[in-house]
Amino acid sequence: MRLGPYAECSKEIGAVTVTIRKEEDDKRQLLLTVEVSEDQVQQAMRDKARQLSRELRIAGFRRGKVPYQVILQRVGAETVRAEAIDDMVQDVFEQAVTEAEVEPYGRPLLEEMAIEPLVLSFLIPLEPVVALGNYRALRKETPVVEISDEAVQEALEQVQTNHQNIEPVDRPIEVGDVVTIKGKGTLAPAAVAEGDEEDASVAVQSSPETLFDEESIDLLMDSEKLFAGTPFVENLIGKSAGEETFFSFVFPAEFEEEELAGREGTFEVTVLSVKSRELPAIDDELAKLEGDYETVDELRADLLQRLQREAEDQAKEDLLEEAITDLLEDAHLSYPPAAVEMEIDDTMETFKSQITRSGWTLEDYFTIQGLTEESLREDFRNDAEDRLRRRLALRQFIFDERLRVSSEDVAALIDQRVARYENEELQQQMRQFFMSGSGFDMISSEVLSEKVHERMVAIFSGNAPDLDALAAEEAGEDEEE
């Protein structure tokens, strides 16, 4: 560990006289060394001996009246000293941290302890330090979100599908049917370039890749949607429930899923059942089935608005992720290893909850997967550190740009949210939810996210407000308060 200059001072903290040394390394960790005076240790030993005299039964002495030297002889001076020191450690640490004006960022560790004289060395993680580069010079186009007519039509067709009527039929498969099959599809090894004999040998020896292996799966007999451009559906048309079929074909070289393009697929399929599928017309009646709409035009307009909102939200999320990546390219971050461990701790807790909700015990899951908690933590490490770095960069951006969430901002968004509900009682319930606890946190986070997005767009377009002017404005607001 490379340590920087240290500071040393002697202080009387409460009833304990200590000498404190502080040494910070280049990983935002502080080595806090505390030397406790021997007089204080001796006093602590006497206090511990009095406690033991009340707990021990020693012949010839009443409880609580056993002389100190007798306790030392019976229990052992080293044991009494060790127990006395154990009682002192937490108070000494807390008081030393206060005196040294240190704010731990995470859980400190007792690195070393010398018993006589009593010297305690604590390794304390400090708050990360982030310096962003000249991010205000960044320029990029902010994409304009547009929803195509095709996207709206697809959404209408999904509504149509939601209200479809499916019934079992006793006949061979026809186009448009919903068919339940069981079976397996495999892919031959990927083609190898001519002349590459070594790779070709490996390809020939490798096992086929499983495309699907199902005991029961429903498929819509639509050749434009199911393995489009292949004869998959064609090979099932005309088959009846109970029939088995075996077929193979080569996926087109321009197939939309690149990993399948140009590869041969082999399929073994048993038809379990055949169902007819009737779709309602896309008209005013469908709109009324879907919700509080009078016409299909009203439904189409609502779908357009919904798609627009979702696309804008996604665009904002994408912009934020790209911007954070840009920030990190020219940023300097210093954080203690404990910060990464804390991030992994959070990931582990989430993972454990998911496993438990799935009906597994963690021990059974680890056994089946051949994992240990330590190996799983290592698997999570890279992603955890990446999340930490991105969060720290974003936090520093918010600080540097002086972005604040005001009560007026929160109130305005709450008004906007509750206005979506027509029932006054429900409006009041939602307002109460948004004004406290997790609801308030969610609303505040949305407000801050919107401010971050607006500022990033302004920076990318070269129209960001002057930071000095923002600082002056903030100072004026503080004086008024």
Side-chain angles (χ1 to χ4, degrees), residues 35-159:
E35 183 175 345
V36 183
S37 71
E38 183 61 22
D39 289 344
Q40 300 301 330
V41 176
Q42 290 295 325
Q43 182 59 52
M45 289 177 66
R46 290 182 178 278
D47 292 341
K48 173 55 69 173
R50 279 195 295 272
Q51 177 187 335
L52 292 173
S53 76
R54 292 191 294 270
E55 298 173 355
L56 299 176
R57 185 183 296 278
I58 300 178
F61 299 96
R62 289 182 298 165
R63 286 190 176 182
K65 300 298 182 179
V66 185
Y68 178 58
Q69 291 301 325
V70 174
I71 290 292
L72 293 184
Q73 292 172 2
R74 178 61 62 91
V75 178
E78 290 184 358
T79 300
V80 174
R81 186 181 184 92
E83 292 191 16
I85 289 174
D86 189 56
D87 290 344
M88 296 175 70
V89 169
Q90 186 62 33
D91 286 342
V92 169
F93 170 74
E94 291 177 358
Q95 294 171 7
V97 163
T98 300
E99 179 61 35
E101 299 180 344
V102 176
E103 186 68 36
Y105 181 74
R107 185 172 61 249
L109 297 175
L110 178 58
E111 283 282 282
E112 296 180 12
M113 179 169 67
I115 298 297
E116 192 170 354
L118 178 57
V119 180
L120 307 171
S121 294
F122 302 96
L123 190 63
I124 304 174
L126 302 177
E127 184 169 358
V129 172
V130 179
L132 300 179
N134 186 23
Y135 64 86
R136 279 202 155 217
L138 292 171
R139 296 292 181 269
K140 64 171 57 179
E141 291 291 328
T142 304
V144 177
V145 174
E146 294 182 354
I147 305 301
S148 67
D149 293 340
E150 291 77 9
V152 177
Q153 184 61 30
E154 286 181 10
L156 272 173
E157 290 175 359
Q158 182 57 54
V159 171

Side-chain angles (χ1 to χ4, degrees), residues 135-136 320 327 393-406 409 444 447-459 464-465 467 470-471 474 477:
Y135 64 86
R136 279 202 155 217
L320 176 61
L327 292 176
L394 178 59
R395 185 184 71 171
Q396 192 65 38
F397 175 85
I398 292 169
F399 178 80
D400 289 350
E401 290 295 316
R402 301 180 180 277
L403 299 176
R404 289 182 172 184
V405 175
S406 69
D409 295 328
S444 300
V447 171
L448 184 57
S449 293
E450 185 61 32
K451 287 178 177 288
V452 168
H453 177 261
E454 290 176 356
R455 185 59 55 83
M456 285 180 169
V457 169
I459 289 172
L467 288 177
L470 287 174
E474 188 176 290
E477 291 175 354

